[in-house]
Amino acid sequence: MKMTRILPALAIVAAALLLILGITASWWRSDTPEPAPFMIAAANPYATEAGAKILRAGGSAVDAAIAIQAVLSLVEPESSGLAGGAFMMHFDPLSGAIEAYDGRETAPMGATAELFLDEEGNPLPFLEAMIGGSSVGTPGVVKMLWLAHEDHGKLQWAELFKPAIKLAEEGFAVPPKLAEAIARDPVLMNMPVAQDYFYRLDVNGERIPAQKGDVLKNPAYAATLKRIASEGEKGFYEGPVAQAIVDAVQNAPARPGTLSLEDFAAYEAKKREPVCAPYREYRICSMPPPTSGGLTALQILGILQNYDLKGMGPMTLTAVHFIAEAEKLAYADRDKYIGDPDFVDVPVEAMLDPAYLEARANRIDASFSMKKAEAGEPVDRRAMNRGLNQPIDKPSTSHFSILDSEGNVVSMTTSVEGPFGSHLMAGGMMLNNQLTDFSFMPEEDGKPVANAVAPGKRPRSSMTPVIVLTKDGDFHAAIGSPGGSRIIGYVTQTLIALIDWDMDMRAAISLPRFIDRNGPLEIEAGTVLEQMTADLESLGHEVKAVPLMSGLHGILVTPEGLDGGADPRRDGNVVTGQP
Ligand code: GLU
């Protein structure tokens, strides 16, 4: 055949082939659509990697949360752990439902309102109250994760502990933040168990704190994890793990506590009605009491909704002034009204009533700070006769946000309270000191304090895990932070940056922090905010430049795709991938 005939024939064959290939490809595409990407933002790369492994294997956001928490307990033990407490928000894209899981610790049945008072009835110094057995609450994380897994787990429970077991057995390189926390800690070196785990002996028999990059193995934790993996939540709440925790608390060298196996048996994780409110064109949902986080953040935003923050411009003097004043008002209500809702009536609806918040907003003077806000009077008289909580919170805690490829979202904040909790260690875990989140004083001026200690009660928290939805009910963002009672300000400022100032997640998370907890206006030391000090002072603010260690980890949906952020102030990262 001549070339002139061969060429057209070849062209026809090639075209036919291409057509067949094209049809096959489009069949292929429609049968197995490309899975949507997942994203995780968390405080430590070992943790994000463990979560990503679970999501790659087809696990759900809750599955990944369990793997992440199991790893954080090992590599970030100063912040959170299985012997601590947590709150988890969950979004299901199919039903549109937001659920709020409460894994907060409870006071043991042997706790009394005088738990943190000395013999004269004065509050104990914080460190004294924190260290030892009496600050340890019944841990809630494992039961909460178990409950969430029953609702939303896809992989087998036991699978989710494998990454943490491997790391605990084979060892992990001490992350920078853990090394710093050990080096800085005033008491850890003298605590039983912890002194042998976090320190090694040099040739002279002196204890040397573990350094960044040293390899730590935690066989006791691996054994705990194996029990939980094979026996479910009972592996933690019954048998040798619970017993080891109880023994450590009851035989603590300082302030032994009453925590008992009965407290473990009685512990219940709870599902609560989330608190949600509109902000601009979005709907913000967070955790209700016993955390003050959701309610106070929504109050701040509800007050600021009455002002044009966008028009004021990002981080301008006016914007900082209005946000600080709104914070004062909301923190004043927080201290009066919020405690465990199973024990005290918290006027949630009245506190979020737009008319009430507008009246509160009207108290803000654009030209001068109110300095100290009084609590308002939400239209719900049950809580009127309350004394004020005297808050003391210490920075530690961890937040992570997860979006799985099916669109399920987890926003979870988790904590052992202060760095290294009570400093007691059992089963390879740091035991929390969450009970010091109670008001030390049960009364103020003869009035009962909403957040006073009582047996079985949950201490008031500040943790603020948030999920933001669009007005159509689609997922828009997940965010949260550690930071003690400053958490609320960190999260609120970030939401304002995302929503009013159109920032991307990383920019919003990296903004210089400021927060007014109805006292001085704290600004982040070493940032441009320091240049605003004189102007803020002329508006009547008492300005204090201090280190503000937020640890925000968030995910944002943008028209260009997913946008995640990890706080540069901590060790974390963002990972994305596909199943
Ligand atoms: N224990 C605190 C709370 O639940 C959190 C502590 C922190 O973030 O350092 O609010």
Side-chain angles (χ1 to χ4, degrees), residues 3 80 130 163 199 240 243 265 294 352 354 386-387 426 446 448 451 463 470 566:
M3 281 304 261
S80 81
M130 168 188 190
Y199 300 79
Q243 187 67 55
L352 293 180
R386 294 265 177 79
N451 185 33
M463 295 193 278
T470 65

Side-chain angles (χ1 to χ4, degrees), residues 84-440:
F87 296 114
M88 179 199 277
M89 303 295 297
H90 182 273
F91 171 70
D92 176 343
L94 295 179
S95 64
I98 297 247
E99 291 165 290
Y101 292 89
D102 172 349
R104 184 72 165 167
E105 297 90 335
T106 52
M109 289 307 157
T112 64
E114 292 77 38
L115 186 66
F116 298 120
L117 299 181
D118 67 14
E119 272 153 24
E120 277 88 56
N122 298 314
L124 292 174
F126 187 81
L127 203 62
E128 198 179 324
M130 168 188 190
I131 307 291
S134 69
S135 63
V136 183
T138 320
V141 170
V142 177
K143 268 221 174 140
M144 185 198 82
L145 293 174
W146 178 259
L147 183 63
H149 186 258
E150 281 185 332
D151 290 349
H152 301 290
K154 274 174 73 189
L155 301 186
Q156 292 293 319
W157 170 260
E159 281 301 299
L160 311 173
F161 296 89
K162 285 187 176 160
I165 293 173
K166 190 168 176 338
L167 275 175
E169 283 180 336
E170 293 174 8
F172 64 97
V174 171
K177 186 163 92 67
L178 172 56
E180 275 164 39
I182 301 170
R184 201 183 318 121
D185 200 281
V187 234
L188 200 62
M189 194 193 285
N190 303 319
M191 296 301 287
V193 194
Q195 62 182 188
D196 298 321
Y197 177 61
F198 292 111
Y199 300 79
R200 61 183 164 79
L201 295 180
D202 71 5
V203 282
N204 304 319
E206 298 278 320
R207 284 187 202 285
I208 309 288
Q211 308 289 308
K212 180 178 113 183
D214 284 357
V215 174
L216 267 189
K217 293 182 186 175
N218 190 338
Y221 185 52
T224 296
L225 290 174
K226 284 179 185 172
R227 277 198 181 272
I228 301 172
S230 62
E231 295 169 27
E233 50 90 10
K234 289 195 168 63
F236 184 90
Y237 288 88
E238 295 174 10
V241 175
Q243 187 67 55
I245 296 174
V246 163
D247 288 347
V249 169
Q250 294 189 357
N251 304 318
R255 295 183 50 80
T258 60
L259 186 70
S260 67
L261 288 180
E262 289 69 42
D263 293 311
F264 274 80
Y267 185 82
E268 267 182 80
K270 300 196 172 186
K271 275 169 84 170
R272 297 192 184 270
E273 196 55 41
V275 283
C276 295
Y279 182 64
R280 314 295 182 199
E281 66 273 33
Y282 294 95
R283 188 166 170 76
I284 317 260
C285 290
S286 187
M287 195 70 209
T291 184
S292 58
L295 201 43
T296 308
L298 291 179
Q299 275 204 318
I300 298 169
L301 294 173
I303 291 169
L304 290 170
Q305 185 123 260
N306 295 284
Y307 297 101
D308 178 13
L309 285 179
K310 195 184 183 83
M312 292 176 196
M315 299 296 283
T316 53
L317 177 67
T318 325
V320 172
H321 172 71
F322 273 86
I323 295 169
E325 297 295 285
E327 287 174 342
K328 279 181 187 295
L329 291 161
Y331 272 83
D333 276 8
R334 167 187 183 267
D335 281 341
K336 183 155 178 175
Y337 298 120
I338 306 180
D340 181 348
D342 297 340
F343 285 72
V344 290
D345 292 313
V346 184
V348 174
E349 271 173 43
M351 287 171 79
L352 293 180
D353 176 16
Y356 171 67
L357 293 176
E358 190 183 338
R360 295 290 277 164
N362 289 338
R363 291 176 174 250
I364 300 180
D365 180 338
S367 61
F368 210 70
S369 171
M370 69 186 79
K371 295 188 190 294
K372 188 95 189 157
E374 297 294 323
E377 302 206 341
V379 199
D380 182 334
R381 308 305 300 174
R382 290 171 303 174
M384 279 311 118
N385 196 25
R386 294 265 177 79
L388 289 187
N389 186 60
Q390 305 298 330
I392 327 163
D393 293 320
K394 296 267 155 160
S396 55
T397 308
S398 208
H399 179 86
F400 52 86
S401 300
I402 307 168
L403 169 70
D404 72 21
S405 95
E406 288 175 3
N408 299 293
V409 180
V410 161
S411 177
M412 172 163 156
T413 314
T414 173
S415 179
V416 291
E417 212 307 278
F420 299 107
S422 64
H423 288 55
L424 297 174
M425 216 179 167
M429 301 169 288
M430 298 313 302
L431 309 188
N432 70 81
N433 69 303
Q434 214 67 252
L435 302 187
T436 57
D437 271 0
F438 280 117
S439 169
F440 285 19

Side-chain angles (χ1 to χ4, degrees), residues 442-456:
E443 293 184 347
E444 195 230 4
D445 287 342
K447 295 179 192 161
V449 171
N451 185 33
V453 188

